[in-house]
Amino acid sequence: MTNISAVDYADVQGIIRFGYARLTEASFLLLRIRDAAAARAWLATAPISTAVALTQAPATALQIAFTREGLEALKIADEVMAGFSAEFLSGMAGDDNRSRRLGDVGTNSPESWKWGGPGYVPHLVVMLYAQEGRLDSWAQTVKASDWDTAFEVLDSLPTSNLDGIEPFGFTDGISQPTIDWKREREIHGDQLEYGNVVALGEFLLGYPNEYGKYTDRPLLDETDAASSILPEAEDVPEKRDLGRNGSYLVFRQLQQDVSGFWRFINQQAQSNPQERQKLAASMVGRTQEGTPLVPICDAPIPGVNTREAPMNQFTYDADQSGARCAFGAHVRRANPRNADLPRGSNGLISRLLRTLGFGTKGYRDDVIASTRFHRLLRRGREYGPGLSPEDAIEMTGPDTSQHGIHFVCLNANISRQFEFLQGSWLMSTKFDGLTEESDSLLGNRQSISGCLRTDTFSLAGATGVRGRMVGLPQFVTVRGGAYFFLPGIRALKYLAADRG
Ligand code: HEM
């Protein structure tokens, strides 16, 4: 019998529960292990922040995650490594097919990345967060005695505080899944309405996911002496669970051409400021202030806190023809807010017909689009100086400052969550019946086999008269990336155990 237990927050890294929004300064250190013994000694005592809620908000936080190369540098046994997911072991840039699916071709290709490409894969990322003015001293505290012996800094990624606005100028971080921390969600059969509550096991390894199953992760025999520190696997009690309370962290450095974005839109809008705002909102799927382009629902959506996130209280049910929000708008691609079956009544025959694909034609037809299996917990930070649309448009020469997002997301299954979302929704040229276009913001505009042009964007319009923009330049370029394992606190102690 499965032993259902409450989540031990002290064993979970804080970033899974908190976004550390009040810690407005952050920097991400990409490290390679120089000396395994010194690295283990540092890791064993590193002051990692946990998911325990404190009575007073913390002034600083520290989080740590490892790539496959990092775990190998710590000499984790091959049989333990084999328990990690195939995509984590292969790495974000480890396979040409993966790169193609993720859109990492052309100027996005790993060969041209600053880090994460061949020969530049970090072993670990150390994520530092602090209240304003405290980051430098926090970094000094963290880099205790063994640090220099232990690590070599491959890159140090600064961030900037743009007050919750991403570099193109849109409010970000509005929509997040509500994690079922209390494990109250009961999943029986198909879900017929879109909801925002997502099973804990979609984000934390060692708990049931949206299929009611435990995602694969390394389970260790008790004969492994160091494993006694690990929790028991809930589903296989005779094994120790290295994954429990951990997650996979996807990191991508996405550089944004802010000037190019606004100059292109301004030109399309023939320098009309209202039209410019409308076009930009149409590409994102929200206005710059974050208002969705479809009406707020009257009926509550389970898991949406209407007081804290009123602008998240919507689905695309009221806009099945894409008249208000373009099908290809970034937020609609990133979360089409679908249930498991196309719309229809709850009657048995209606459900059977829809399951067999005979339902009404509409955006819900694509049964694989059940969004509950493809949610991400986003924890990114911006970098570079802010630049207003007006200043961006005025710019005549190239913008030499670097702007972008250090895109960070957490998920228990990289392939079903991040990779599906990135490859099948954002980068797909066939998403929702569209052709010749991929994500309005992120598309790499490269030709692919069977689709010579991907640089268009179909606008929302009740009668279709607003048509299509063509010749979209590439606005976002990938500058680095890697897949990391973010261990629970006991798992980190296991990884830091002496292995000679
Ligand atoms: C430079 C790159 C990007 C920019 C400028 C950007 C911008 C935005 C903005 C403005 C929003 C609306 C605010 C919100 O709902 O929280 C948003 C939402 C979202 N983005 Fe992105 N984004 C970027 C990259 C990505 C990537 C790489 C992914 C995933 C692979 C992604 C996934 C999402 C998701 C899941 C949402 C929430 C959609 C919803 O639930 O309605 N974004 N993004």
Side-chain angles (χ1 to χ4, degrees):
M1 232 272 310
T2 303
N3 168 26
I4 301 291
S5 55
V7 178
D8 175 7
Y9 288 124
D11 195 38
V12 179
Q13 295 204 46
I15 193 174
I16 302 189
R17 193 171 178 208
F18 311 115
Y20 294 122
R22 288 195 205 157
L23 306 185
T24 51
E25 295 192 346
S27 94
F28 304 131
L29 306 177
L30 301 167
L31 307 177
R32 287 181 74 91
I33 294 171
R34 231 199 280 257
D35 177 308
R40 283 194 211 105
W42 183 85
L43 290 167
T45 57
I48 311 293
S49 313
T50 74
V52 173
L54 305 172
T55 41
Q56 232 187 343
T60 56
L62 167 68
Q63 306 287 267
I64 292 183
F66 301 86
T67 56
R68 185 207 75 211
E69 289 79 349
L71 297 181
E72 284 171 353
L74 291 173
K75 302 195 171 74
I76 302 304
D78 290 351
E79 58 272 22
V80 176
M81 292 299 293
F84 286 100
S85 69
E87 54 282 5
F88 169 74
L89 294 175
S90 169
M92 188 183 279
D95 164 22
D96 288 348
N97 273 325
R98 168 165 290 106
S99 295
R100 182 183 46 74
R101 288 195 307 271
L102 297 180
D104 295 343
V105 292
T107 49
N108 280 353
S109 78
E111 283 71 34
S112 54
W113 291 358
K114 268 171 64 215
W115 61 273
Y120 291 95
V121 178
H123 286 164
L124 66 157
V125 58
V126 167
M127 309 170 87
L128 300 165
Y129 300 85
Q131 284 174 349
E132 194 179 345
R134 300 182 72 156
L135 189 64
D136 288 344
S137 63
W138 177 229
Q140 288 316 313
T141 310
V142 165
K143 295 176 188 174
S145 50
D146 286 333
W147 176 275
D148 287 332
T149 321
F151 306 117
E152 169 198 348
V153 180
L154 187 70
D155 211 338
S156 163
L157 307 176
T159 69
S160 48
N161 172 20
L162 304 180
D163 280 334
I165 310 290
E166 57 71 39
F168 290 144
F170 288 80
T171 309
D172 202 0
I174 304 169
S175 175
Q176 292 281 20
T178 300
I179 303 181
D180 180 24
W181 286 103
K182 294 195 176 146
R183 311 182 63 182
E184 291 167 342
R185 181 159 163 71
E186 289 187 22
I187 302 157
H188 300 296
D190 298 323
Q191 187 171 296
L192 299 178
E193 290 303 325
Y194 170 74
N196 200 43
V197 183
V198 181
L200 183 61
E202 290 292 302
F203 303 105
L204 267 197
L205 292 162
Y207 299 87
N209 57 27
E210 279 290 317
Y211 291 97
K213 309 257 191 255
Y214 291 78
T215 304
D216 289 343
R217 70 277 180 208
L219 299 180
L220 279 54
D221 288 326
E222 285 176 8
T223 45
D224 179 336
S227 75
S228 60
I229 197 173
L230 296 173
E232 270 179 11
E234 225 176 55
D235 49 338
V236 198
E238 65 278 15
K239 299 270 187 182
R240 297 286 175 166
D241 192 341
L242 181 60
R244 188 162 164 108
N245 296 326
S247 190
Y248 288 110
L249 183 149
V250 174
F251 198 132
R252 278 164 86 75
Q253 182 174 349
L254 303 176
Q255 189 169 307
Q256 293 173 249
D257 179 3
V258 179
S259 173
F261 177 76
W262 284 108
R263 281 195 286 195
F264 175 76
I265 292 175
N266 190 49
Q267 181 214 344
Q268 296 289 313
Q270 295 172 349
S271 303
N272 175 327
Q274 282 83 35
E275 188 60 15
R276 190 167 72 213
Q277 294 310 114
K278 251 191 188 152
L279 280 182
S282 157
M283 289 166 71
V284 172
R286 289 186 186 266
T287 65
Q288 277 191 265
E289 297 71 33
T291 308
L293 304 185
V294 294
I296 298 293
C297 303
D298 295 331
I301 296 176
V304 173
N305 184 327
T306 40
R307 202 167 33 83
E308 285 173 19
M311 292 193 295
N312 212 14
Q313 171 70 19
F314 69 93
T315 67
Y316 299 102
D317 285 5
D319 186 34
Q320 292 194 46
S321 61
R324 290 168 181 265
C325 179
F327 290 125
H330 174 68
V331 300
R332 194 161 182 167
R333 279 181 179 265
N335 181 3
R337 298 181 183 230
N338 278 341
D340 292 351
L341 294 176
R343 266 169 91 73
S345 80
N346 285 347
L348 207 62
I349 294 184
S350 162
R351 278 187 64 171
L352 182 66
L353 288 175
R354 282 176 287 142
T355 310
L356 295 173
F358 296 116
T360 29
K361 295 286 168 223
Y363 74 97
R364 284 174 175 240
D365 280 4
D366 195 352
V367 178
I368 57 158
S370 312
T371 51
R372 66 190 175 104
F373 301 117
H374 312 293
R375 299 299 304 274
L376 300 177
L377 192 60
R378 289 174 299 140
R379 293 287 189 241
R381 293 268 170 152
E382 287 78 35
Y383 67 91
L387 181 65
S388 72
E390 292 73 23
D391 289 345
I393 288 163
E394 289 303 308
M395 210 167 257
T396 44
D399 180 4
T400 49
S401 28
Q402 316 249 299
H403 315 265
I405 292 182
H406 293 307
F407 176 85
V408 172
C409 74
L410 294 150
N411 51 186
N413 187 326
I414 300 176
S415 138
R416 175 165 60 77
Q417 294 171 266
F418 166 72
E419 290 192 346
F420 182 91
L421 203 148
Q422 172 80 21
S424 300
W425 286 352
L426 298 183
M427 289 299 152
S428 167
T429 54
K430 304 215 165 34
F431 178 80
D432 231 343
L434 298 168
T435 56
E436 300 190 333
E437 60 185 275
S438 62
D439 189 78
S440 49
L441 305 181
L442 294 157
N444 57 24
R445 321 301 179 210
Q446 298 277 314
S447 302
I448 55 169
S449 140
C451 188
L452 284 182
R453 69 181 312 174
T454 65
D455 62 351
T456 75
F457 177 68
S458 306
L459 291 157
T463 56
V465 281
R466 298 200 48 217
R468 214 173 192 207
M469 289 200 268
V470 293
L472 268 73
Q474 182 174 348
F475 303 124
V476 173
T477 306
V478 187
R479 303 292 288 125
Y483 292 150
F484 295 89
F485 169 59
L486 178 103
I489 305 298
R490 280 182 281 178
L492 179 61
K493 299 271 180 270
Y494 171 87
L495 300 177
D498 192 5
R499 289 185 180 79

